[in-house]
């Protein structure tokens, strides 16, 4: 059986002094900062609002200013990493992200914080766009690659959930400034280790794909797409549809440009890979489900069960612990024994069942009975699904396109998370706002809104399962 559609990545030799697993540790440390930043800021938002005087709509830009350049620049920086060298792009991203984090932590005004967050998003995109391409180059042998991806996925998944806890702890013990300043020692240490340990990759050269017009079109299209998603609740329907149509037009223009350019930024043949396209499509749906669970689940604990910020963070801790243990202990073994396709399907089944159970959480529910069991099911499902899904997405790319494939995979992750948050939170709010007018009390109405969001998330998870079954089944050699 064969699941790859392109040639395998060529091995890269790391420093003589350090093994490849030290290189993996550096990649994990760099990625961890950007992953933590995606969630650590959410718990500190009320403190930021009180300190800097943000309005409600203005406060959203503390998150949006990061997400828009991060999601919009991933594909561009992934391709540039292939051309100028992935190590060079990775270390430059660490430097930019760390410097911008310090600027965020020292910000005393709204404009300064939002501008620093935008630069931070660009630095995060530079780092994240090439990390998977480097990983599959360092570990070309299938079994070792499965273990490396399991470790990397575990670090990312644990970091995403730990951000909620750390954000509450740092804000409560010190101040919101420290959720950004904590990146300074981590970033400096990661940069020094990356310069010393990571192997040099010269890249193909800018002449092999420095498509300026194509870069402008795709960056504008992706930034506008993320902007449309994250700001959909603050605009009229007509304005949202107009911006969405403009984003589609830019994507169409980019596709036409790539079909005609002598040195295209994106080789369209990549998208013909059933494995690569299918894996990215599955990720959009799966991440939309999991982000929805994390965001709506935290609101359920706070607004329905009455949990505080720190208590909510503690309540989520079993999820990253379960993900870390299962990914590190079982994921690579299960993938090696049963194949990535079967393990991925099993994980998506667990996510779907867990979300279906969570959709029954009532207004008078309890954490041990109504939240913890489905949370652990979804954690187990994500631990099973994410490593093989990552491997399948990267298996569909050739060595010279590994950075681009890495950027594409991270881009669909951002788009999936943004879509899930926007759609599910809007559904929950609409359902909740409609019930009090019918005489329902506020807490039961809020719980009903969250139940609707969880039911829709169950459908999205089931769609991810169906898409994976249809597109990722391995072909016989």
């Amino acid at each position: 059986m064969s699941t790859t559609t392109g040639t395998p990545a060529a091995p890269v030799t790391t420093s003589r002094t350090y093994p490849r697993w030290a290189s993996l540790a550096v990649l994990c440390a760099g990625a961890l900062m950007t992953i933590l930043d995606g969630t650590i800021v959410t718990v500190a938002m009320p403190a930021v609002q009180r300190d800097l005087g943000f309005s409600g709509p203005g406060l959203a830009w503390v998150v949006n200013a990061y997400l828009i350049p991060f999601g919009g620049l991933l594909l561009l920086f992934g391709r540039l990493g292939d051309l100028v060298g992935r190590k060079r792009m990775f270390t430059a991203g660490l430097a930019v992200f760390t410097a911008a984090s310090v600027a965020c932590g020292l910000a005393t005004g709204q404009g300064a914080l939002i501008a620093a967050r935008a630069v931070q998003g660009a630095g995060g995109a530079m780092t994240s766009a090439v990390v998977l391409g480097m990983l599959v180059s360092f570990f070309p042998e299938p079994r070792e690659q499965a273990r490396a991806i399991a470790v990397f996925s575990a670090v990312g998944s644990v970091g995403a959930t730990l951000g909620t806890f750390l954000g509450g702890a740092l804000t409560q013990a010190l101040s919101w400034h420290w959720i950004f300043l904590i990146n300074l020692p981590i970033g400096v240490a990661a940069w020094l280790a990356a310069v010393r340990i990571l192997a040099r990759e010269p890249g193909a050269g800018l002449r092999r794909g420095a498509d300026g017009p194509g870069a402008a079109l795709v960056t504008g299209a992706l930034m506008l797409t993320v902007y449309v998603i994250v700001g959909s609740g603050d605009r009229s329907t007509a304005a949202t549809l107009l911006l969405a149509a403009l984003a589609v037009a830019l994507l169409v223009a980019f596709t036409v440009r790539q079909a005609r350019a002598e040195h295209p930024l994106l080789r369209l043949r990549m998208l013909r890979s059933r494995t690569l396209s299918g894996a990215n499509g599955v990720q959009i749906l799966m991440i939309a489900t999991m982000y929805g669970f994390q965001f709506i689940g935290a609101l359920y604990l706070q607004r329905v069960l009455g949990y505080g910020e720190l208590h909510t963070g503690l309540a989520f801790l079993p999820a990253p612990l379960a993900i870390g243990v299962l990914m590190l202990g079982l994921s690579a073994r299960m993938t090696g024994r049963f194949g990535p396709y079967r393990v991925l399907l099993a994980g998506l089944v667990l996510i779907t069942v867990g979300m279906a159970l969570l959709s029954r959480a009532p207004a008078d529910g309890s954490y041990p009975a109504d939240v913890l069991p489905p949370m652990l099911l979804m954690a187990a499902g994500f631990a099973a699904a994410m490593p093989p899904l990552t491997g399948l997405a990267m298996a569909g790319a050739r060595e010279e396109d590994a950075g681009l494939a890495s950027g594409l995979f991270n881009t669909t992750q951002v788009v999936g998370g943004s879509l899930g948050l926007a759609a599910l939170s809007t559904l929950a709010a609409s359902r909740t706002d409609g019930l009090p007018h019918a005489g329902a009390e506020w807490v039961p109405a809020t719980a009903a809104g969250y139940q609707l969001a969880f039911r829709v998330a169950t459908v999205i998870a089931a769609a991810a399962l169906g898409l994976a079954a249809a597109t990722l089944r391995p072909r016989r050699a």
Side-chain angles (χ1 to χ4, degrees), residues 38-103:
T39 55
I40 198 172
V41 71
T42 56
V43 179
M45 294 285 272
V48 174
Q49 186 175 25
R50 289 192 301 268
D51 192 14
L52 300 184
F54 276 100
S55 63
L59 184 64
W61 280 99
V62 176
V63 175
N64 295 347
Y66 178 87
L67 283 178
I68 292 171
F70 182 80
L73 293 170
L74 278 166
L75 194 61
L76 173 62
F77 286 143
R79 184 56 179 162
L80 288 178
D82 290 331
L83 300 177
V84 305
R86 295 175 202 136
K87 176 181 178 178
R88 183 178 299 176
M89 183 63 66
F90 182 81
T91 53
L94 286 178
V96 171
F97 185 88
T98 303
S101 296
V102 174

Side-chain angles (χ1 to χ4, degrees), residues 246-285:
L246 179 57
V248 171
L250 289 174
L251 284 174
V252 171
F254 170 73
T255 303
V256 173
R257 167 71 186 178
Q258 299 311 287
R260 298 178 177 178
E262 182 179 359
H263 298 293
L265 182 72
L266 171 63
R267 295 181 178 90
L268 295 181
R269 60 169 170 75
M270 282 184 59
L271 302 181
R272 300 191 193 105
S273 166
R274 179 175 61 97
T275 304
L276 185 146
S277 299
N280 279 279
V282 170
Q283 178 175 233
I284 290 176
L285 298 173

Side-chain angles (χ1 to χ4, degrees), residues 13 66 89 135 139 146 180 283 307 310 321 336 350 389 393 403 438 459:
T13 304
Y66 178 87
M89 183 63 66
L135 188 151
F139 298 92
F180 300 113
Q283 178 175 233
Y307 282 28
L310 187 58
L321 292 176
L350 290 176
L389 183 63
V459 175

